[in-house]
């Protein structure tokens, strides 16, 4: 059995930012009360299978990106209860609990658990099992809450990020910058990781960058600009030319000379330029001559921020450096980006500095999926978009709503009946296939019983589409794919786990394979998930039997 290469995340505890705290108690109390009930009745060793799935696609869309699998595997590998944790449980549970139960808990781990799963980063759909968990009933019951916790938020954020990437288009650089607004440090770290997988390019979160090898980026805040009030506060005032061969020059003198020329070109009075802002830009330019990107909307964009930036950027160019660009955090971002690009082009032509045309224009300011769509409908010259609150908190839908339901015990199918058909579970141990048309595009996911033969390529088959139970449909697959692989068995991770960049690439490939009608952000065509004839008949028989009892 091969051991998985842990390529992003050091352990389940580190992945959640919990340090040395065990995750065995990161669950609901009723999992332990049920565990005791199983043990007390002698059923704790019965082999059970649970499925983890969601009932409705998030954000009223057509799909979700499945994430969180690696954290699940790390958690399972480490799963066991310490003496201290068992002592706490003894204090929390009723005094009538048999002490032998606590002695039994000392032997519990995930060594007899088998997990089959869809690959992390895959496009997935409602009602199909993302993960199948099989093992002793007591153990797989104890895993429920933690597995849901590890998958729900991860998949939700990745899906939110993928939708924002779609709204922004492929050419904009997207920066996740939501740590300060996230639901605590664990939520912030998870959001940085899974927004990167979902399609963002980088994060402002330094710890996430370190833990998961995500590119980090950032600029300056308004506080840096407002902390300066005059040019006398600039120290040091000199900067060596690039290459370090020539002596350092008085950078402030160079900037002031360039400012006069820029103001004349732009028709701006030098008296209107805020000197504290200029001092901040000069100071930052001296500190970061190769990474000069600053906020230009602290005071007045047109009359102060942009002229001050251009003066410092031109002075840097004179010394052999190249500025990066500007950031806007207020006002009409699209219109201002067009005006700023026009200024950059004018400077490039007038001062014969071609690189000025390509300076980056970044924006932020409560960016959402809706505002990204609006930006794409307007003329704009934006290169980089920073997204915070609306990405990491998922305000349009705070939970994916994954559930973990029992489907089999000791080889016998189990199902939950409900007057609400959407809450009814689909019984039995299953294999899930993705069916492709003759052009290589997926058109349907098929759930079949584990012991059924796989669908045959080029052969017509009959099936039942979820939500339209009584209706049969005939399809002929051009190709088929088994979606689940065994990821955990005998206490070991048994797949070679991909890097975070590989998962990100797989997510993008999986999205690109999905026809555009299913990827639409609003009113998408639902992707069909169906049952085989044999599975449908099992479900109907169990429904009838249960109603007779």
């Amino acid at each position: 059995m091969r051991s998985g290469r842990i390529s992003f995340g050091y352990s389940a505890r580190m992945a959640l930012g919990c340090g040395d705290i065990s995750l065995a108690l990161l669950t609901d109390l009723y999992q332990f009360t049920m565990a005791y009930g199983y043990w007390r009745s002698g059923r704790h060793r019965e082999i059970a299978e649970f499925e983890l799935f969601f009932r409705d696609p998030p954000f009223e869309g057509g799909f979700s990106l499945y994430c969180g699998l690696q954290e699940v595997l790390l958690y399972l590998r480490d799963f066991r209860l310490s003496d201290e944790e068992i002592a706490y449980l003894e204090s929390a549970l009723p005094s009538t609990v048999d002490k032998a139960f606590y002695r039994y808990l000392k032997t519990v781990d995930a060594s007899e658990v088998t997990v089959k799963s869809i690959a992390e980063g895959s496009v997935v759909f409602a009602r199909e099992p993302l993960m199948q968990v099989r093992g002793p009933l007591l153990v797989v019951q104890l895993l429920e809450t933690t597995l849901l916790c590890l998958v729900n938020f991860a998949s939700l954020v990745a899906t939110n990020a993928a939708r924002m990437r779609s709204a922004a288009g492929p050419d904009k650089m997207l920066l996740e910058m939501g740590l300060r607004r996230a639901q605590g440090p664990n939520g912030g770290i998870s959001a940085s990781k899974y927004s990167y997988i979902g399609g963002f390019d980088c994060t402002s979160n330094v710890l996430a960058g370190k833990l998961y090898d995500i590119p980090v980026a950032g600029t300056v805040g308004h506080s840096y600009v407002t902390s300066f009030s005059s040019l006398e506060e600039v120290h040091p005032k000199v900067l060596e030319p690039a290459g370090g061969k020539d002596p350092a020059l008085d950078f402030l003198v160079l900037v002031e000379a360039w400012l006069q020329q820029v103001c004349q070109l732009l028709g701006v009075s030098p008296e209107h330029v805020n000197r504290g802002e200029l001092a901040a830009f000069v100071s930052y330019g001296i500190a970061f001559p190769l990474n000069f990107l600053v906020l230009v909307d602290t005071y007045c964009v047109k009359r102060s921020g942009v002229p001050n930036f251009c003066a410092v950027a031109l002075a840097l160019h004179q010394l052999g450096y190249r500025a990066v660009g500007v950031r806007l955090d207020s006002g009409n971002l699209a219109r201002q980006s067009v005006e700023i690009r026009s200024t950059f082009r004018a400077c490039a032509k007038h001062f014969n500095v071609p690189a000025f045309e390509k300076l980056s224009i970044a924006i932020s300011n409560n960016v959402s999926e809706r505002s990204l769509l609006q930006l794409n409908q307007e003329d704009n010259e934006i290169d980089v978009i920073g997204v915070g609150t609306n990405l990491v908190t998922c305000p349009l839908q705070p939970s994916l709503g994954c559930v973990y339901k029992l489907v089999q015990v000791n080889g016998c199918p189990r199902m939950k009946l409900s007057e609400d058909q959407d809450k009814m579970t689909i019984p039995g141990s299953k294999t899930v296939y993705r069916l492709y048309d003759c052009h290589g595009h997926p058109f349907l996911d098929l759930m079949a019983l584990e012991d059924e033969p796989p669908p045959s390529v080029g052969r017509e088959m009959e099936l039942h589409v979820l939500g339209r139970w009584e209706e049969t449909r005939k399809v002929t697959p051009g190709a088929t794919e088994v979606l689940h692989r065994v990821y955990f068995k005998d206490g070991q991770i048994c797949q070679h786990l991909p890097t975070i960049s590989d998962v990100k690439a797989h997510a993008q490939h999986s999205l690109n394979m999905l026809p555009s009608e299913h990827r639409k952000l609003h009113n998408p065509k639902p992707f069909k998930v169906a049952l085989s004839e044999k599975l449908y008949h099992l479900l109907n028989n169990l429904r009838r039997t249960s109603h007779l009892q």
Side-chain angles (χ1 to χ4, degrees):
M1 186 68 66
R2 289 182 296 148
S3 176
R5 174 170 59 90
I6 306 305
S7 51
F8 62 94
Y10 306 111
S11 69
R13 294 186 294 271
M14 278 301 294
L16 292 176
C18 295
D20 293 328
I21 300 173
S22 167
L23 298 187
L25 295 186
L26 185 67
T27 188
D28 297 305
L29 182 64
Y30 85 124
Q31 306 293 2
F32 283 103
T33 60
M34 285 191 285
Y36 179 64
Y38 295 141
W39 180 85
R40 194 76 176 82
S41 61
R43 302 187 60 225
H44 55 292
R45 297 285 304 161
E46 294 181 6
I47 300 302
E49 183 171 329
F50 284 80
E51 291 178 348
L52 189 151
F53 60 94
F54 59 93
R55 293 192 174 106
D56 298 294
F59 311 111
E60 299 182 353
F63 68 89
S64 178
L65 279 182
Y66 168 48
C67 286
L69 173 61
Q70 292 213 20
E71 269 73 15
V72 165
L73 299 175
L74 297 169
Y75 162 71
L76 291 173
R77 186 191 64 184
D78 297 341
F79 179 75
R80 60 189 53 83
L81 288 153
S82 68
D83 290 344
E84 182 182 353
E85 288 164 336
I86 291 171
Y88 173 75
L89 282 173
E90 191 169 357
S91 71
L93 290 171
S95 59
T96 53
V97 171
D98 190 328
K99 303 300 182 186
F101 174 64
Y102 300 114
R103 291 193 292 274
Y104 179 75
L105 287 181
K106 292 183 180 183
T107 70
V108 167
D109 59 21
S111 61
E112 296 179 80
V113 173
T114 298
V115 173
K116 293 181 180 179
S117 176
I118 296 174
E120 185 156 16
S122 297
V123 168
V124 290
F125 306 99
R127 305 292 299 280
E128 65 187 11
L130 312 181
M131 186 183 298
Q132 297 163 313
V133 185
R134 184 182 296 178
L137 179 57
L138 179 148
V139 178
V140 292
Q141 181 71 70
L142 285 177
L143 301 176
E144 175 182 5
T145 301
T146 314
L147 299 194
L148 288 171
C149 178
L150 292 172
V151 171
N152 259 313
F153 184 64
S155 301
L156 186 72
V157 171
T159 307
N160 198 22
R163 290 174 62 88
M164 288 189 174
R165 166 51 74 192
S166 177
D171 299 325
K172 308 290 189 192
M173 177 178 282
L174 294 181
L175 164 65
E176 178 274 314
M177 48 188 294
L179 179 59
R180 66 187 61 194
R181 304 285 171 77
Q183 284 96 338
N186 300 348
I189 291 170
S190 293
S192 298
K193 175 181 178 179
Y194 293 109
S195 62
Y196 180 68
I197 288 173
F200 273 58
D201 298 288
C202 47
T203 179
S204 67
N205 185 338
V206 179
L207 180 56
K210 177 181 181 296
L211 289 176
Y212 305 121
D213 197 26
I214 302 171
V216 292
T219 59
V220 299
H222 289 111
S223 58
Y224 184 86
V225 179
T226 58
S227 72
F228 290 83
S229 59
S230 73
L231 293 171
E232 283 72 32
E233 294 170 332
V234 176
H235 296 288
K237 292 182 171 61
V238 297
L239 179 63
E240 288 184 359
K245 295 180 181 179
D246 298 319
L249 299 177
D250 190 320
F251 190 62
L252 188 53
V253 171
L254 291 180
V255 169
E256 293 207 85
W258 278 110
L259 182 62
Q260 295 299 317
Q261 296 182 65
V262 169
C263 287
Q264 184 177 3
L265 174 65
L266 301 182
V268 174
S269 170
E271 284 73 31
H272 289 148
V273 169
N274 186 283
R275 310 304 280 185
E277 181 182 59
L278 180 60
F281 289 3
V282 170
S283 179
Y284 199 73
I286 291 171
F288 296 101
L290 295 174
N291 304 88
F292 182 62
L293 193 154
V294 289
L295 273 166
V296 293
D297 67 339
T298 305
Y299 300 108
C300 178
V301 174
K302 279 186 178 181
R303 293 187 300 174
S304 184
V306 171
N308 278 335
F309 168 81
C310 289
V312 176
L314 286 163
L316 287 171
H317 175 80
Q318 182 181 339
L319 297 183
Y321 300 103
R322 182 170 175 175
V324 176
V326 300
R327 177 161 72 96
L328 292 164
D329 192 50
S330 59
N332 187 319
L333 301 173
R335 177 176 54 77
Q336 288 183 100
S337 73
V338 171
E339 292 170 351
I340 291 172
R341 182 68 68 201
S342 178
T343 297
F344 289 166
R345 287 174 179 149
C347 287
K349 182 177 180 181
H350 186 79
F351 299 118
N352 193 27
V353 185
F356 247 65
E357 287 199 35
K358 302 297 183 182
L359 287 172
S360 180
I361 299 174
I363 65 156
S364 50
N365 189 27
N366 202 32
V367 176
S368 64
E369 180 184 302
R370 181 180 178 182
S371 62
L372 287 170
L373 289 169
Q374 289 174 338
L375 278 175
N376 263 343
Q377 293 170 2
E378 304 175 55
D379 290 334
N380 73 81
E381 290 286 343
I382 296 164
D383 302 295
V384 181
I385 302 173
V387 190
T389 307
N390 290 295
L391 173 62
V392 304
T393 65
C394 301
L396 296 180
Q397 182 171 327
S399 174
L400 179 57
C402 283
V403 293
Y404 182 84
K405 297 298 181 183
L406 181 68
V407 296
Q408 185 164 283
V409 178
N410 288 338
C412 296
R414 295 286 191 269
M415 71 178 295
K416 172 184 178 292
L417 287 173
S418 174
E419 293 181 3
D420 182 349
Q421 193 175 84
D422 287 341
K423 288 203 167 186
M424 183 174 63
T425 59
I426 300 168
S429 185
K430 309 172 194 66
T431 302
V432 184
Y433 303 91
R434 185 153 291 173
L435 308 188
Y436 295 84
D437 61 23
C438 58
H439 302 292
H441 297 296
F443 69 89
L444 180 140
D445 281 2
L446 174 69
M447 289 189 275
L449 288 170
E450 192 174 47
D451 58 0
E452 289 189 67
S456 298
V457 172
R459 180 178 296 178
E460 187 178 75
M461 62 182 302
E462 212 167 55
L463 46 79
H464 293 258
V465 176
L466 280 178
R468 293 154 60 182
W469 300 103
E470 307 304 326
E471 190 179 317
T472 60
R473 182 181 175 188
K474 293 181 179 180
V475 301
T476 305
T480 66
E481 176 190 10
V482 178
L483 291 187
H484 292 89
R485 288 184 288 169
V486 176
Y487 277 87
F488 190 87
K489 190 175 183 180
D490 299 328
Q492 298 293 320
I493 298 168
C494 50
Q495 292 287 342
H496 189 68
L497 298 181
T499 66
I500 190 169
S501 296
D502 290 339
V503 175
K504 179 184 175 73
H506 173 67
Q508 191 57 58
H509 174 73
S510 190
L511 282 165
N512 289 341
M513 290 286 287
L514 189 66
S516 59
E517 61 193 3
H518 304 302
R519 284 186 277 127
K520 289 172 59 179
L521 298 183
H522 300 289
N523 301 314
K525 181 179 179 180
F527 187 88
K528 290 182 173 58
V529 177
L531 309 184
S532 68
E533 276 283 296
K534 189 173 181 180
L535 178 55
Y536 173 72
H537 288 310
L538 170 66
L539 182 147
N540 259 355
N541 288 338
L542 285 178
R543 287 171 71 184
R544 283 195 296 269
T545 303
S546 298
H547 284 137
L548 290 173
Q549 290 176 349

